[in-house]
Amino acid sequence: MLYSLVHINETSPYEVFAYKEDTVYFITDDGSEYLVGFIEETNIGIQRAYQLFIIKKRNGIHIGTDVKIGRTVSSIVHSFFRNPSNILVYICDTSDKHQAARDRKFKIWFKQYASLDDLVFVSEVIDVEDDSYFASMILSRRTTDFNQIQTAFHDYFQDLRSKLE
């Protein structure tokens, strides 16, 4: 298991429930339902790397900004990093052209909730014609091969850029 529901629910403002393998869900005060999960990342070539996905499955009645969503996602991610060998990859969805906003939100959440003494945030952007593709990686400073993992992440995106030229 990549996380502990017990550990998550000790710190999460919303109660988090198991959904499917490596996926959890929570329901906000306004009735919105979010799925948060991890999928093994096999393209980058880094062991124990998982893509994080966050999906708003059901809309509730909008009542403004809900800071508890970020804190809940943070609780899930903190539980994921109880194993310092785990590596988190986040690739912003481009389907609705709001990928830059997602990238900003993810960076804000990292700065607000991450243990900066323990975790490192690495990001890449690839511009293709009129679109930008944002990808981020978070890893523990305690990860073995720390520098090689960062290099592999950057090299993967540099290779993609060279194929686009």
Side-chain angles (χ1 to χ4, degrees), residues 21-90:
E21 185 177 345
D22 297 330
T23 304
V24 296
Y25 77 96
F26 62 93
I27 300 171
T28 65
D29 291 335
D30 74 1
S32 295
E33 184 175 336
Y34 285 84
L35 297 176
V36 180
F38 303 91
I39 300 170
E40 187 174 7
E41 169 54 65
T42 57
N43 295 318
I44 296 175
I46 298 172
Q47 296 295 314
R48 299 213 42 89
Y50 297 88
Q51 276 193 40
L52 172 72
F53 66 86
I54 304 167
I55 299 171
K56 189 173 190 178
K57 186 176 176 190
R58 183 180 66 204
N59 286 326
I61 300 166
H62 185 68
I63 57 172
T65 303
D66 184 347
V67 296
K68 291 196 250 180
I69 294 169
R71 290 184 8 229
T72 301
V73 172
S74 174
S75 294
I76 296 164
V77 170
H78 277 283
S79 183
F80 173 81
F81 278 113
R82 288 181 73 183
N83 179 346
S85 297
N86 286 343
I87 298 163
L88 187 88
V89 176
Y90 182 69

Side-chain angles (χ1 to χ4, degrees), residues 41 44 51-52 89-93 102 133-136 157:
E41 169 54 65
I44 296 175
Q51 276 193 40
L52 172 72
V89 176
Y90 182 69
I91 299 172
C92 297
D93 177 26
R102 287 184 183 89
Y133 297 84
F134 298 88
S136 301
F157 286 95

Side-chain angles (χ1 to χ4, degrees), residues 114-130:
S115 170
L116 300 178
D117 293 336
D118 185 46
L119 299 176
V120 175
F121 188 95
V122 181
S123 63
E124 287 282 348
V125 179
I126 296 179
D127 295 312
V128 179
E129 297 177 8
D130 293 337

